[in-house]
């Protein structure tokens, strides 16, 4: 079973000081699956996402991506945190798209996309540029390679951010509310790119409030609140017929 798992979270805890944000999160994502994480603000969704690529360290539990423990080395029953350089090596294989686009404002779209492959993966400039052109075309921005972020709409900037993450050829893509900073009419163009990625077999974990996307694209849906998983299952079943009162109350406000 484990060889089909891309993400395996086992009793993951995370505290910020006295505030316990994650209280024993366990879930699995198979290779090629799309998991949508939904729930109210402050429920721990984004923190959990950041733990998956070790932008946040966990306080207890185990997180594995593609069978490899994330951020730690296990000796006996003790965990030893990896050096930052070792954690960064692991992180190369996990793409992340944030709520805010985080593009370099002084670089064009194509320069944003080629930066990490050249600097981190030591790709040749010619190869990186050719790949970047492919990826910008894939996200519907073939004609925007020379544009600076300030001259792009929010939806276009987010699509450049997706292309930038894909340029590292990740095995897993994490999306942290990728459409929540966008004007409503721009949301669809970003979701369409994500749908195409899912159809191509990319393993994805998406924190989102877009229930239509979750219903249509996700293989599984997890509802979190207060740092725990309240309910999970087939998105269409959970959205149409939630079993838990807390899930019902949340969905009544967002559907």
């Amino acid at each position: 079973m484990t060889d089909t798992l891309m993400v395996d979270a086992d009793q993951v805890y995370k505290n910020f000081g006295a505030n316990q944000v994650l209280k024993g999160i366990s879930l699995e994502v198979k290779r090629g699956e799309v998991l949508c994480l939904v729930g109210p603000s402050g429920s721990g969704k984004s923190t959990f996402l950041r733990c998956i690529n070790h932008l946040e360290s966990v306080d207890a539990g185990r997180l594995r991506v593609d069978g490899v423990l994330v951020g730690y080395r296990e000796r006996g029953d003790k965990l030893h945190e990896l050096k930052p350089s070792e954690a960064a090596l692991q992180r190369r294989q996990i793409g992340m798209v944030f709520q805010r686009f985080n593009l370099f404002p002084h670089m064009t779209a194509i320069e944003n996309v080629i930066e990490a492959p050249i600097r981190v993966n030591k790709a040749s400039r010619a190869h990186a540029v050719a790949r970047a052109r492919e990826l910008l075309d894939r996200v519907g921005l073939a004609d925007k390679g020379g544009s600076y972020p300030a001259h792009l709409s929010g939806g276009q900037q987010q699509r450049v951010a997706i292309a930038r993450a894909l340029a590292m050829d990740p095995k897993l893509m994490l999306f942290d509310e990728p459409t929540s900073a966008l004007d409503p009419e721009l949301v669809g163009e970003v979701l369409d790119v994500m749908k195409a990625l899912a159809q191509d077999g990319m393993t994805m974990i998406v924190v989102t409030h877009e229930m239509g996307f979750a219903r249509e694209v996700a293989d599984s849906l997890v509802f979190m609140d207060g740092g725990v998983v309240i309910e999970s299952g087939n998105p269409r079943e959970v959205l149409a017929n939630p079993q838990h009162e807390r899930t019902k109350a949340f969905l009544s406000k967002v559907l």
Side-chain angles (χ1 to χ4, degrees):
M1 174 66 182
T2 49
D3 61 342
T4 68
L5 285 184
M6 182 59 77
V7 179
D8 182 10
D10 180 25
Q11 289 294 305
V12 173
Y13 285 79
K14 176 63 185 174
N15 309 319
F16 292 108
N19 182 21
Q20 195 172 53
V21 179
L22 301 178
K23 304 171 185 174
I25 300 288
S26 294
L27 56 82
E28 296 176 347
V29 184
K30 291 180 185 161
R31 197 180 306 279
E33 275 191 347
V34 178
L35 169 77
C36 278
L37 281 176
V38 304
S41 295
S43 57
K45 310 181 300 294
S46 294
T47 298
F48 177 67
L49 215 59
R50 291 170 67 83
C51 288
I52 293 173
N53 64 1
H54 204 61
L55 288 174
E56 300 288 355
S57 56
V58 303
D59 290 307
R62 302 284 190 278
L63 251 172
R64 287 182 171 82
V65 170
D66 204 13
V68 177
L69 196 62
V70 172
Y72 296 89
R73 189 174 285 107
E74 205 162 9
R75 292 204 191 100
D77 57 355
K78 285 211 167 58
L79 290 183
H80 300 268
E81 192 163 4
L82 296 180
K83 295 175 188 163
S85 58
E86 295 173 306
L89 271 177
Q90 286 188 334
R91 206 174 287 128
R92 284 187 198 182
Q93 300 183 307
I94 304 172
M96 186 153 185
V97 177
F98 298 89
Q99 185 174 348
R100 298 281 167 193
F101 325 120
N102 294 353
L103 297 178
F104 297 116
H106 61 290
M107 293 183 178
T108 63
I110 205 158
E111 287 168 345
N112 266 281
V113 176
I114 67 175
E115 175 74 0
I118 290 174
R119 195 174 287 253
V120 179
N121 284 356
K122 309 302 181 202
S124 73
R125 185 176 178 87
H127 180 270
V129 167
R131 176 83 172 122
R133 290 194 196 286
E134 273 174 36
L135 290 169
L136 287 173
D137 184 43
R138 187 174 176 185
V139 300
L141 295 172
D143 59 336
K144 297 293 185 185
S147 299
Y148 288 90
H151 300 137
L152 298 173
S153 71
Q156 289 170 332
Q157 289 185 60
Q158 192 61 296
R159 286 186 280 153
V160 173
I162 293 172
R164 180 177 62 179
L166 292 173
M168 295 294 283
D169 293 317
K171 58 176 71 172
L172 169 67
M173 284 285 282
L174 308 176
F175 292 87
D176 190 5
E177 299 195 23
T179 59
S180 63
L182 299 179
D183 292 334
E185 67 268 24
L186 301 177
V187 167
E189 64 191 46
V190 173
L191 293 181
D192 285 345
V193 169
M194 293 168 64
K195 286 174 192 172
L197 278 181
Q199 286 162 357
D200 290 344
M202 175 63 75
T203 312
M204 295 159 51
I205 301 180
V206 184
V207 173
T208 186
H209 295 292
E210 301 291 338
M211 298 302 160
F213 175 84
R215 185 187 288 111
E216 182 184 345
V217 180
D219 298 288
S220 55
L221 181 141
V222 168
F223 173 67
M224 282 177 65
D225 191 24
V228 298
V229 172
I230 303 286
E231 189 164 345
S232 62
N234 178 291
R236 287 155 291 287
E237 290 171 13
V238 174
L239 293 172
N241 187 26
Q243 300 300 301
H244 196 282
E245 288 305 321
R246 185 68 193 89
T247 319
K248 288 177 189 172
F250 175 77
L251 291 176
S252 72
K253 294 187 178 76
V254 298
L255 287 178

